[in-house]
Amino acid sequence: MINPQQVEAMIKSELPDSEVQVQDLTGGGDHYQVTVVSWQFANKGLVQQHQLVYGALRKAMSTEAIHALAIKTYTPEAWQATAAS
């Protein structure tokens, strides 16, 4: 089991400029939804953006400390546009 703060720290270690929101979907500590906002997503497709997040969580995913992961990624510009609508 892994806690939301650990998930956030792992993502921020790979994407230091990121803003990260982590939600435990089941309360069991192994099903998460993450929302990540980073400039590193600029000029990258959605698959490439998600690969960056998976890369940050690779160890936790491979040991099944995280069993399921839903990812939402945004550049800061896209995040602001989403918040404004």
Side-chain angles (χ1 to χ4, degrees):
M1 190 166 76
I2 190 168
N3 68 47
Q5 295 80 14
Q6 290 170 308
V7 173
E8 180 179 353
M10 284 187 267
I11 294 170
K12 285 188 171 194
S13 74
E14 294 291 319
L15 302 165
D17 75 315
S18 65
E19 293 294 324
V20 181
Q21 297 174 357
V22 181
Q23 181 181 2
D24 185 343
L25 296 175
T26 63
D30 63 349
H31 288 70
Y32 286 102
Q33 175 175 295
V34 296
T35 301
V36 184
V37 180
S38 173
W39 283 110
Q40 292 186 50
F41 299 145
N43 301 314
K44 290 185 173 50
L46 190 59
V47 170
Q48 291 172 312
Q49 294 174 17
H50 287 202
Q51 286 173 335
L52 289 171
V53 176
Y54 276 118
L57 299 173
R58 182 174 293 122
K59 184 176 179 183
M61 296 288 293
S62 68
T63 63
E64 294 192 21
I66 298 175
H67 178 71
L69 182 66
I71 301 173
K72 296 180 182 180
T73 54
Y74 302 90
T75 62
E77 292 169 334
W79 180 249
Q80 286 182 351
T82 301
S85 59

